[in-house]
Amino acid sequence: MQVSVIGAGVAGLACALEFAERGVEVEVLERAAHPGAGCSYFAGGMLAPWCEQENSGPLIARLGEESLAWWRARFPGTIVNGTLLVAHGRDAAELTQFARRTTHFEWLSAEAVAALEPELAGRFAQGLHFRDEAHLDPRAALAALSTRLRELGAELRFGVEVSAGMLRGRHIVDCSGLAARAQLAGLRGVKGEMLLLRLADLSLARPIRLLHPRIPVYVVPRGDGLFMVGATMIESDDGERVSVRSMLELLSAAYALHPAFGEAQIVEIGTGVRAAFPDNLPRLHRAGQTLYVNGLYRHGFLLAPALARRAAQVLLAGAHFPEVMDEDPRQRRLA
Ligand SMILES: Cc1cc2nc3c(=O)[nH]c(=O)nc-3n(C[C@H](O)[C@H](O)[C@H](O)COP(=O)(O)OP(=O)(O)OC[C@H]3O[C@@H](n4cnc5c(N)ncnc54)[C@H](O)[C@@H]3O)c2cc1C
């Protein structure tokens, strides 16, 4: 069997790798000049199945836990240091609320927060630690997947915009994100703005989420004094501009986490548009020779491996996974 994968974002590369590892002849077609040029470029790279229970159901936690093991086996840059959640005194109730909706954490005292992240000593009275969660640098991870794919003989073709009918006769796995909106009813864009800051004087070992009733923000350390700050969640498919308000909120939140961020350099300001179905759950959808893998929403790195594994089993073994498959995505609108 020969498989053509459309899109070299995290979904496309993970799918391609699942096929290549099974000995399938696979090519990846990407309209941009390099891998991860779509939404994947802007991700925080948090692999946080249990934190994400706060805004999603058990399916995301289950698929995410499965994906954690996949990343650890395939990308040595996967760092398993957990996730730390903190809140300032007036927002302490947010921590309790978060704890009610999630599992796999432990409460930390102020001393324990300081032991875990010495730079935060004296700043927070308590915290929640999700010790089994991980993070990675998305751009490095996608480069590593691309290298591995080439080692396995897969072809990665950049600057190729796939149009209707171009791949007639081939098995197609469409991982084109929001670009598949015309084929997948209900797919919408959720804008996410982010910053990359450089601050040599601060050292954090894990993603820190600062809870706030209106503006929850996280900071993900990328090493070498780089920190990703994210992310807004706006019902919009405008991937062009970052608003003044978002910028103010992200920077204020970083500063509220630690005033040292006041001296940080702004290295990058970015906007990605997450593709999501109405229920914010991912979907594998079959239409003729094409299998769509889409709707990864705010969980693309967390979910792509588990979805890719299922995509391979659907195409190669005719498997069916009702948890992520239906016959017609339009049915979801009615649900
Ligand atoms: C600010 C922000 C922070 C995030 N943080 C996290 C996080 O911490 N953890 C996490 O798990 N997720 C996170 N996400 C979500 C994650 O980034 C997305 O879920 C994921 O990137 C979706 O990947 P994808 O491969 O489906 O889509 P994309 O990355 O958009 O890839 C689709 C690719 O298809 C290509 N393409 C489209 N049409 C064609 C065509 N016709 N021919 C050829 N190529 C085509 C595009 O150029 C693109 O490269 C975040 C998202 C944002 C915006």
Side-chain angles (χ1 to χ4, degrees):
M1 180 190 276
Q2 295 174 325
V3 174
S4 297
V5 176
I6 307 175
V10 68
L13 293 178
C15 284
L17 195 50
E18 281 293 318
F19 284 107
E21 286 178 355
R22 288 167 167 79
V24 174
E25 194 181 316
V26 63
E27 65 172 1
V28 180
L29 305 166
E30 166 58 52
R31 65 183 174 190
H34 60 86
C39 183
S40 300
Y41 192 72
F42 303 99
M46 293 181 297
L47 305 176
W50 299 290
C51 271
E52 289 298 318
Q53 287 173 313
E54 191 260 344
N55 58 66
S56 58
L59 175 66
I60 301 301
R62 197 153 33 81
L63 296 175
E65 186 173 4
E66 187 182 321
S67 296
L68 261 179
W70 191 95
W71 281 114
R72 290 181 71 174
R74 286 166 184 79
F75 181 53
T78 309
I79 300 169
V80 189
N81 268 350
T83 307
L84 176 62
L85 272 84
V86 289
H88 286 295
R90 62 185 176 278
D91 306 324
E94 296 291 317
L95 276 178
T96 313
Q97 274 291 93
F98 201 100
R100 277 202 196 108
R101 296 198 199 111
T102 53
T103 58
H104 289 68
F105 60 81
E106 58 183 337
W107 280 97
L108 300 185
S109 63
E111 294 72 30
V113 169
L116 211 57
E117 292 288 359
E119 303 268 17
L120 300 184
R123 299 193 54 74
F124 299 99
Q126 55 185 351
L128 293 175
H129 186 209
F130 293 75
R131 72 163 64 224
D132 298 325
E133 295 189 339
H135 68 285
L136 47 72
D137 177 339
R139 300 171 194 179
L142 296 186
L145 295 190
S146 304
T147 302
R148 184 68 191 131
L149 275 166
R150 289 197 183 93
E151 284 168 1
L152 291 173
E155 197 182 347
L156 277 73
R157 294 169 56 199
F158 295 100
V160 181
E161 171 118 30
V162 178
S163 51
M166 190 170 144
L167 301 172
R168 195 162 288 131
R170 292 184 70 96
H171 292 282
I172 301 166
V173 179
D174 187 313
C175 300
S176 60
L178 203 58
R181 196 163 27 181
Q183 289 78 43
L184 297 174
L187 200 67
R188 73 186 201 284
V190 182
K191 177 178 178 177
E193 295 145 303
M194 52 76 77
L195 303 169
L196 263 188
L197 304 181
R198 188 182 299 285
L199 179 62
D201 300 340
L202 190 79
S203 167
L204 298 173
R206 55 186 56 73
I208 314 287
R209 297 191 185 206
L210 178 63
L211 299 188
H212 182 278
R214 278 179 299 111
I215 316 157
V217 153
Y218 55 80
V219 173
V220 186
R222 288 268 167 90
D224 289 334
L226 270 185
F227 298 89
M228 184 273 192
V229 181
T232 55
M233 297 275 294
I234 300 170
E235 291 291 330
S236 163
D237 53 12
D238 165 24
E240 295 298 314
R241 288 176 190 82
V242 175
S243 72
V244 169
R245 180 190 177 136
S246 298
M247 185 69 138
L248 284 170
E249 289 177 352
L250 290 173
L251 288 172
S252 307
Y255 186 65
L257 177 68
H258 200 297
F261 277 113
E263 301 305 318
Q265 293 171 351
I266 300 176
V267 176
E268 189 179 309
I269 301 169
T271 308
V273 183
R274 313 166 180 95
F277 286 112
D279 57 6
N280 294 333
L281 295 176
R283 227 57 203 159
L284 266 54
H285 174 69
R286 247 190 132 144
Q289 291 290 92
T290 303
L291 179 66
Y292 292 90
V293 180
N294 215 314
L296 280 68
Y297 184 45
R298 54 181 278 164
H299 305 121
F301 282 79
L302 181 63
L303 301 182
L307 296 174
R309 191 172 282 164
R310 283 159 181 72
Q313 288 168 16
V314 169
L315 232 59
L316 299 177
H320 184 74
F321 297 95
E323 58 191 7
V324 289
M325 291 176 79
D326 55 18
E327 291 312 310
D328 180 352
R330 273 166 294 194
Q331 289 167 1
R332 329 207 88 226
R333 269 203 195 145
L334 309 174

